[in-house]
Amino acid sequence: MDDTKIFLPESEIPQAWYNINPDLPAPLAPPLNPGTGQPLGPEDLAPLFPMELIMQEVSMEPWIEIPDDIMRIYKLWRPTPLHRAFALEEELGTPARIYYKNESVSPAGSHKPNTAVAQAYYNKQEGVSRIATETGAGQWGSALSLACSLFDIECLVYMVRISYEQKPYRRLLMQTWGAECIPSPSDRTNAGRAILAEDPDSPGSLGIAISEAVEDAATHDDTKYSLGSVLNHVLLHQTINGLELKKQLAIAGEKPDMLIGCVGGGSNFAGFCFPFVKDKLDGQDIDIIATEPTACPTLTRAPYRYDFGDTAELTPLLKMHTLGHTFVPPPIHAGGLRYHGDAPLVSLLVAQKVIEPRAFHQNEVFEAAITWARSEGHVPAPETAHAVKGAIDEALKCKETGEEKCIVIAYSGHGHFDMGAYEAYLTGELEDYELPQEQIDEAMKSVPEVSGPA
Ligand SMILES: Cc1ncc(COP(=O)(O)O)c(C=O)c1O
């Protein structure tokens, strides 16, 4: 087949999300109550999430049907195209066949609306009128703002202060969709005020912004909290992408040898590869590669431990690869990859060696992004560029060995609001960071000593 884009008709959009939980090679460690060290019950999460999402979080059903009202909105941009990267193949002179599944075509410019729309829908169903959330680089905040506007829900976004200042257009996008966006740390919450008292110029972090949004939801009766990654139900909603990809690869007559995506909290990567993890566990030979920054090397260097999801210790304890919840990553430009932890589901599969992690420096990542932009044309988000870098490396290995591998990239978003990062790269001002082991050891001191239920 020599098509450059492989489309699916709308009638072929998968009708259900895939839940990997029953197919895991080992049981997932449950979230724990930090006070008691005991597994959480659904009622513990009820102040923060609508019950339907809590049930999805713990579900052992392999398939969860997608409601019609969500499907109607998905059709604004889904199915997303699968592209063959012919121009990049030619530029690299590789015998590999490179494909990318393009989630940048959503209204917000990334995969994030796949779960934002689902979360807004279930909140609306349960009568919630206001949702609070955090955002790092602004992709998640804009996706949730979009979804809330479509379901007529008020949306408040705590945006990490440094991004708020560096990325005014992401903030304006949120405001265009009717959301309120404020810099975090803020004076609206105890968590924010405590940080500001210590450091009035704090640049903020994702961990701090999560604390603020969780506190906001827990202290307002009309408000729930929404998270854009990490949790099982978020990864579940993203599987619509990998399920579409399976159908598109079948049309192209391909079986993937290698799937490559970037991991911040793990949602785009999981949604893209989980439907293939079962094939791998059933014996199919597929390399599944997760890429991340060396400046925030959670999957490649961090221990697999129970830890808090936020800085102020308001969340349950999750078992994950964590650099410690007090860890503040260096200010790299892939803001969506600056999180101290990872999804428990992705963490488990890395610990089980089903998924192989790799870390890259930001200069080599931007070099790959430029090669991509000057051949394929699309300008990737800095996060997405980590996946592109991983794929280019593999395609160049194929050039040496002559292997004609089928490599598929999770193209999670475009970089149109990240031109400041591109400017820093193009003017030679980007710094690479290799995290010293002592810094990891220091942050790990904040991680509680909990082993979880036997
Ligand atoms: C374009 C893009 N890709 C990837 C990520 C990383 O998040 P996740 O690992 O949840 O997909 C983000 C997060 O903001 C993003 O905006």
Side-chain angles (χ1 to χ4, degrees):
M1 188 170 190
D2 52 13
D3 283 357
T4 305
K5 290 191 299 308
I6 295 135
F7 291 107
L8 280 182
E10 287 184 5
S11 56
E12 285 291 319
I13 299 181
Q15 300 296 307
W17 295 297
Y18 167 62
N19 179 16
I20 199 170
N21 217 342
D23 292 327
L24 290 172
L28 189 66
L32 302 182
N33 179 321
T36 63
Q38 291 305 307
L40 289 183
E43 60 294 345
D44 294 314
L45 293 170
L48 294 184
F49 301 106
M51 199 40 81
E52 191 58 35
L53 290 176
I54 296 170
M55 297 325 283
Q56 289 181 2
E57 189 64 22
V58 296
S59 174
M60 289 302 273
E61 291 298 320
W63 297 99
I64 294 178
E65 208 175 305
I66 303 175
D68 289 347
D69 285 349
I70 295 178
M71 189 58 81
R72 210 168 20 250
I73 294 177
Y74 276 174
K75 285 181 182 170
L76 294 177
W77 71 94
R78 305 211 70 85
T80 61
L82 176 66
H83 302 241
R84 173 88 182 260
F86 281 119
L88 179 73
E89 289 170 20
E90 196 176 317
E91 170 69 25
L92 300 177
T94 177
R97 297 184 306 288
I98 305 172
Y99 291 85
Y100 61 105
K101 178 75 167 136
N102 187 1
E103 289 291 287
S104 78
V105 299
S106 80
S110 77
H111 63 293
K112 298 276 181 187
N114 295 332
T115 183
V117 168
Q119 293 192 44
Y121 167 81
Y122 290 113
N123 273 287
K124 185 75 181 180
Q125 287 289 100
E126 296 185 26
V128 175
S129 60
R130 183 174 176 269
I131 299 180
T133 196
E134 70 292 322
T135 196
Q139 287 272 19
W140 168 245
S142 41
L144 191 68
S145 304
L146 160 73
C148 284
S149 85
L150 297 176
F151 285 104
D152 199 17
I153 298 172
E154 214 183 303
C155 182
L156 173 61
V157 183
Y158 290 90
M159 184 169 188
V160 174
R161 180 181 294 274
I162 185 162
S163 302
Y164 183 91
E165 283 160 8
Q166 281 174 353
K167 295 193 172 194
Y169 294 119
R170 272 279 164 208
R171 162 164 56 84
L172 280 160
L173 194 56
M174 294 181 231
Q175 289 167 344
T176 300
W177 278 313
E180 185 185 3
C181 175
I182 59 170
S184 163
S186 77
D187 61 6
R188 297 247 186 128
T189 63
N190 287 331
R193 285 187 290 271
I195 302 273
L196 287 175
E198 258 181 39
D199 177 8
D201 297 322
S202 166
S205 73
L206 219 41
I208 295 169
I210 294 176
S211 298
E212 290 209 270
V214 167
E215 183 182 327
D216 190 303
T219 52
H220 290 86
D221 282 346
D222 61 347
T223 304
K224 296 276 189 214
Y225 169 66
S226 171
L227 187 62
S229 190
V230 176
L231 297 178
N232 302 349
H233 67 267
V234 180
L235 277 51
L236 170 83
H237 302 148
Q238 292 295 350
T239 60
I240 182 119
N241 190 35
L243 294 167
E244 282 179 9
L245 171 61
K246 265 200 153 171
K247 294 188 179 194
Q248 288 162 308
L249 286 173
I251 292 171
E254 293 279 14
K255 277 208 165 128
D257 295 302
M258 197 167 268
L259 297 170
I260 305 183
C262 69
V263 170
S267 71
N268 90 89
F269 177 73
F272 166 80
C273 75
F274 277 6
F276 297 86
V277 164
K278 172 135 175 57
D279 298 336
K280 179 166 172 138
L281 294 172
D282 288 345
Q284 204 172 307
D285 189 11
I286 314 177
D287 292 325
I288 305 180
I289 297 168
T291 61
E292 64 178 12
T294 46
C296 191
T298 50
L299 294 175
T300 47
R301 290 181 63 192
Y304 182 41
R305 293 264 303 266
Y306 269 107
D307 194 12
F308 291 97
D310 72 317
T311 307
E313 306 187 349
L314 299 175
T315 69
L317 296 171
L318 300 175
K319 189 157 182 195
M320 58 187 177
H321 288 279
T322 176
L323 288 163
H325 60 278
T326 57
F327 176 73
V328 178
I332 55 163
H333 280 276
L337 308 186
R338 293 178 69 241
Y339 182 59
H340 68 271
D342 284 301
L345 282 168
V346 172
S347 295
L348 172 78
L349 290 167
V350 169
Q352 294 277 325
K353 306 208 180 320
V354 177
I355 291 169
E356 182 193 330
R358 290 193 194 153
F360 298 113
H361 287 292
Q362 59 176 351
N363 272 297
E364 59 185 351
V365 164
F366 275 91
E367 187 188 346
I370 295 287
T371 302
W372 180 272
R374 292 180 187 174
S375 51
E376 287 302 312
H378 297 275
V379 177
E383 294 84 1
T384 311
H386 286 72
V388 168
K389 166 64 182 162
I392 289 181
D393 280 4
E394 287 299 327
L396 289 174
K397 278 188 212 159
C398 288
K399 183 175 175 175
E400 302 221 320
T401 61
E403 285 172 291
E404 297 177 5
K405 286 190 180 172
C406 171
I407 300 173
V408 189
I409 301 168
Y411 196 84
S412 56
H414 67 64
H416 297 174
F417 294 99
D418 301 284
M419 285 299 121
Y422 277 87
E423 182 181 27
Y425 173 72
L426 292 168
T427 54
E429 283 161 23
L430 267 197
E431 250 184 87
D432 283 338
Y433 300 91
E434 187 74 59
L435 210 55
Q437 188 57 41
E438 306 82 70
Q439 202 180 331
I440 299 180
D441 295 343
E442 188 55 37
M444 288 304 293
K445 288 185 187 156
S446 68
V447 176
E449 290 294 335
V450 181
S451 55

